Amino acid sequence: MQLDEQMKCWNHAAVKVLDIRRIVMEAGEQLSSYTLPANGYIYTIRGSAQLQLDGQTYNAERFYMLHGAKGSSLDIQTNEDFEYILLYYRAFLAFPSYRKKWLLAQPEVAPFSLQYGFAPSSPLELLRYLDGLEGAWIQSGSLDLLHTKSLFYQFIHEMMVQLADQEIKTELADPVKQTLRYIQNHYREQVTLDFLAEQFNYSSRHLSMQFKRQTGYSPIDYLIQTRIAKARNLLVRSDATLSEIAAEVGYADVYYFSRIFKKHVGISPIQYQRKIREEARTEDRPLVISESSIGRRWKSGYIDYENHYQYIDGGFTPMKRRKTSSSMIMVALLSITMLLAACSSGTATTPAAGEGTGASSNNSSTAVSSDTGSQTNKDNETRTVSTVKGDVVVPANPKRVVVLYLQGDVVALGIKPIATSEVFNGAAYKSELEGVNSLGTWFEPNPEAVIDLDPDLIIVPSEETYTLLKDIAPTVYIPYEKMTTEERLQSIASIFGKEQEAETLINNLNSKVEESKQTLADAGILDKTVSIVEGGLKGMVVVESKQYGRGSQALYEYLGMKAPEVVQKKIDVVSEAGGSNLSMEVLPEYIGDYVFRSVYEGADNLTDNPIWSSIPAIKEGRLIEIDFDFFYYSDIYSINKQLDFVVEKLLAAPRAQ
């Protein structure tokens, strides 16, 4: 960016001074890999030091000015006592017309992200303004803060004058290098594309494009590769448990970690660990010729479906009752920026649905099915659907439906979408979605991929995904976590005018439940206790609510079976997903006449554990293993199949006395 363009930006800028401080470092002291939280100026007062900004070195003597962009990495190595002033600010293009003009002309450039360093020709002029800024900032009164902003503009004017006089070369901070460095240092933390874009003051679309152009990976793919590489090293070089390794590389949920590892490596973490260690033992045998473990080539990872627990703050809570995070601050602005850029490149989009104000829900705890309805306009073949986001006009007969997570209910209604979020291989309705496009995890779909599909209807399960996709096509938000399975189905049915089909599905489910209960009662099973567990040798989670998933709805809600008393007391009072993580020593107290254990590939083999094997239900053959994928979903299609499985396995197991 040329300096005159930078000056034009300042003329259209709104600014806020965030902080100003004076810092003294002793001789030999170091500052390493400090990430600038905002755009900032560093002005040296006395002493000398070597400064590095995103790897570029500046030798700073007395009265040296350095500017860095938000997200830049700063290193300081002092040669002697070193004093400097650090000024943080935020600036953005204030006028919409100019902002739009800028985005269309050079959308890949953040207007205030220049990096430069120089020795001012009139250093005391700049120091005078900085001293005044520091004094006003310390006072912190309303009038003082106004004075701070006034002095900041004067400081910028003097800065631009001296930069122009010396013809100082400025350059843009490289967002790709910044992103690479950030991921390497923060791969253990929650990282999303929107967060990275906000961190480095770029749109998510252009950051992703530039990153992929330079590295061949998307930022999130690179994050995953980094985590997998760290995990490989820990699997081979430590005796840490799978849960400990998953947490160390940024995955709170060991099941998700196991799946994503297998997707990218080709085998599960446990298989990988055994294979590498066996190869190492083989290489130690001098009479055996073996392939080098360092040069080992793995087969390409196959396509698999990870569960929904990607983020470090996740847990065992199932999708049905998961409280979605509100951490996607700024997502609306980012999505609009992305869409403007997409439109400028000729991408076709469909008109967005209007949102009313009178139909929104007044009580968030009220089942939304009571607020959701539809009215068909036969003249223009549309239907108006009332939702918690207001009235949404949708096609009366949509042909290109995109649905996130809620695909089981859509499939049950006889509708095949053109794209959905990822579906586990073991899901009950997996075969019904053969050939349907996959958009990634439900909570982080790719908006560009959705745009390319040109949908005429989008159905989403969260506030975040609604905000992200609502400008692409008519979008209906279904707050599933506030609904029963039946209420959710009825709400989705109203979008398509299939209320009668939904009523039939519900009646059929109720009939199956009554028949199943009678069958189990006749067999002397219905009044026996059942437990649902998930975990391994290091600890076992005991399900303590009807909303947990893993069969809890089929067993506790629909069939009405009871858990052991210590568990049932919690089930009777818990209204959301809940479970206790117990040691193997106390587990027997929580086990009923029958045990359902949720398993997944790589789960611990408990056969040789004496405590587990001594539990009466296990010892007498009343252990029923359930597939994590199959029992993860809570839609009406999945519940029907889960009921069939549960009844069949209970009838086949030895009878409890």
Side-chain angles (χ1 to χ4, degrees), residues 444-578:
E444 199 173 35
N446 184 342
E448 294 177 49
V450 178
I451 291 172
D452 289 342
L453 290 168
D454 192 23
D456 55 11
L457 175 64
I458 302 172
I459 302 174
V460 297
S462 70
E463 292 270 5
E464 292 88 348
T465 49
Y466 173 80
T467 303
L468 195 62
L469 304 179
K470 66 181 178 65
D471 295 314
I472 298 175
T475 302
V476 179
Y477 164 41
I478 303 293
Y480 66 90
E481 75 277 11
K482 301 174 184 175
M483 299 174 166
T484 64
T485 298
E486 291 78 7
E487 289 167 345
R488 185 173 71 183
L489 179 68
Q490 290 166 338
S491 292
I492 294 174
S494 71
I495 303 170
F496 299 96
K498 288 181 173 285
E499 291 88 347
Q500 187 58 51
E501 288 87 340
E503 192 66 27
T504 299
L505 287 168
I506 293 169
N507 290 337
N508 290 342
L509 175 62
N510 290 335
S511 296
K512 173 178 285 191
V513 168
E514 293 306 314
E515 292 172 6
S516 299
K517 290 169 73 173
Q518 187 60 54
T519 299
L520 293 176
D522 293 343
I525 298 174
L526 190 63
D527 61 347
K528 302 301 180 183
T529 57
V530 293
S531 298
I532 306 172
V533 299
E534 184 173 63
L537 293 168
K538 295 292 183 179
M540 192 73 73
V541 173
V542 176
V543 174
E544 296 174 333
S545 78
K546 298 177 182 178
Q547 293 79 30
Y548 193 98
R550 318 302 195 269
S552 63
Q553 285 174 287
L555 284 163
Y556 296 142
E557 182 176 346
Y558 287 100
L559 294 176
M561 296 188 74
K562 301 296 184 182
E565 185 178 359
V566 65
V567 178
Q568 190 63 41
K569 286 179 179 179
K570 295 185 178 180
I571 292 176
D572 290 339
V573 298
V574 172
S575 60
E576 296 188 352

Side-chain angles (χ1 to χ4, degrees), residues 416-417 429-437:
K416 187 170 184 176
Y429 50 81
K430 174 70 174 178
S431 61
E432 303 290 340
L433 296 175
E434 192 71 34
V436 173
N437 292 288

Side-chain angles (χ1 to χ4, degrees), residues 15-19 87-90 133 137 148-149 152:
V15 301
K16 181 177 179 62
V17 176
L18 301 176
D19 193 14
L87 169 63
Y88 287 127
Y89 71 92
R90 181 169 65 238
L133 277 163
W137 182 258
T148 300
K149 183 174 289 190
F152 180 79

Side-chain angles (χ1 to χ4, degrees), residues 54 71 174-186 191-193 196-197 199-200 202 207-208 211 218-220 222:
D54 285 342
D174 187 341
V176 175
K177 289 182 180 178
Q178 292 177 322
T179 302
L180 286 168
R181 185 179 295 105
Y182 187 90
I183 289 174
Q184 286 293 336
N185 293 331
H186 300 273
V191 179
T192 66
L193 178 58
L196 290 170
Q199 183 79 4
F200 303 117
Y202 276 77
L207 176 62
S208 182
F211 194 95
S218 72
I220 299 305
Y222 182 82

Side-chain angles (χ1 to χ4, degrees), residues 272-339:
Y272 175 83
Q273 184 181 60
R274 290 171 181 165
K275 188 175 185 68
I276 292 296
R277 290 183 175 180
E278 179 60 34
E279 287 180 354
R281 285 193 292 270
T282 302
E283 289 171 357
D284 287 338
R285 300 168 192 163
L287 298 180
V288 178
I289 299 175
S290 64
E291 184 178 0
S292 167
S293 62
I294 297 176
R296 180 73 173 171
R297 292 193 302 272
W298 295 104
K299 66 180 180 179
S300 299
Y302 62 88
I303 299 299
D304 194 7
Y305 293 90
E306 304 87 15
N307 72 25
H308 297 158
Y309 307 113
Q310 177 172 2
Y311 297 142
I312 192 68
D313 57 350
F316 290 100
T317 305
M319 173 66 183
K320 182 175 188 299
R321 294 286 174 173
R322 177 176 174 191
K323 296 297 183 183
T324 53
S325 168
S326 60
S327 62
M328 296 178 65
I329 300 171
M330 298 292 290
V331 69
L333 292 176
L334 290 172
S335 60
I336 291 171
T337 300
M338 178 198 71
L339 290 167

